[in-house]
Amino acid sequence: MIPLTGQTLTSCDYHTAGEPFRILDVGPMEGTTVLDRRSWAQENLDDLRQFLINEPRGHADMYGGFVVPPNDTEGDLGVVFFHKDGFSTACGHGTIALVTWAIETGVLPAGQTHVVVDVPSGRLHTTVTYKKGRVAAVCFTNVPSFVSATDLTVTTSQGPLTAHIAFGGAFYASVDTTELTLSPEAAHLDALVSLGREIKTQLNAHPAVNHPQDQRLSGLYGTIFFDTLSQDPLQQRNVTIFADGQIDRSPCGSGTSSRLALLHHQRSLNTGDTFINHGVAGGQFTGRIINEEESGVLTTVEGSAHHYATTTFTLDPHDSLNLGFQLR
């Protein structure tokens, strides 16, 4: 899989609200569903993941996805997500980028307005908005999002904090930064990364992060540090620290769904209300709850993605750094 002398591997690189997404098709993977293919990739493609993510080809906050077939003929695309530390179950910003890429590159017909994407956590229906013939925005309807624990006290170097856990395709702990001397801004990223690691260490084995249907979706994926900017419509700003200290530049798509579930649970947001979520890089996602089900709330998240590079990779067999390195 790793391109050696005389071989190349090409990616299309997009960003969604500032968060990168490296898109590649590296051929067939075993499994009948995208979740199965993720399991196969974990066992067979980890070297390739490192090659694409690590410096000098990537960086500690790089993200990407392998394009795979959908689960069945009702789907249009499938994707296995990867990042610095492994293969994730959900990625909202990546879903937005993938749909934009598929239309802009002709994988799907120009003008198609409904695209079905299978991701490890389930099937996402997306709606594409066009402006003057180009993809202006993509809105996905997420898998059911739900709250699994509230008012957990976490002991940290910043003192005791209150965390709430909700699922939006992955499990996230939400922490209101009014409890901190830190705010979700670039100036405080180093401290928030350290704090996010502390919280994950304490909560990753909590029963609230066990998925009720599939253990492969279990585990605390990240911590969302947020503050509230305004009401009507509700606007918040966040920094999401996921995996092992990785910073989401966007407002975090699956994290936005988890926030929507929690806001609804706290009676801070009604079904149909608009929620504008701001990321640390200045981009924003628009979220809504569109329905309430027994398994959770159905949410939509909308954002825009942009192509910024087409990259051709190769590995010099004499390169002593080989798969690359991470400095943090």
Side-chain angles (χ1 to χ4, degrees), residues 174-298:
S174 283
V175 174
D176 191 334
T177 57
T178 57
E179 294 192 33
L180 295 165
T181 56
L182 306 169
S183 59
E185 299 176 279
H188 298 147
L189 285 179
D190 288 346
L192 291 173
V193 167
S194 295
L195 190 55
R197 284 173 165 154
E198 291 181 51
I199 293 169
K200 182 170 183 176
T201 297
Q202 289 199 44
L203 296 181
N204 200 38
H206 195 281
V209 300
N210 290 327
H211 194 274
Q213 274 83 48
D214 197 316
Q215 275 300 112
R216 291 176 292 180
L217 302 178
S218 295
L220 186 69
Y221 185 48
T223 300
I224 301 171
F225 297 99
F226 72 93
D227 64 8
T228 299
L229 302 177
S230 66
Q231 303 285 343
D232 196 25
L234 177 61
Q235 298 195 58
Q236 293 185 340
R237 172 179 54 181
N238 84 80
V239 171
T240 299
I241 308 300
F242 66 95
D244 182 20
Q246 196 160 338
I247 302 162
D248 196 330
R249 273 78 172 150
S250 81
C252 187
S254 53
T256 296
S257 287
S258 77
R259 293 290 307 134
L260 285 162
L262 187 57
L263 288 165
H264 184 267
H265 177 82
Q266 295 170 331
R267 302 183 185 277
S268 298
L269 197 73
N270 296 319
T271 299
D273 288 350
T274 297
F275 171 54
I276 299 175
N277 205 12
H278 297 257
V280 68
Q284 65 183 50
F285 290 159
T286 301
R288 291 182 180 86
I289 297 168
I290 59 170
N291 199 14
E292 302 171 43
E293 299 183 348
E294 185 176 346
S295 54
V297 293
L298 284 186

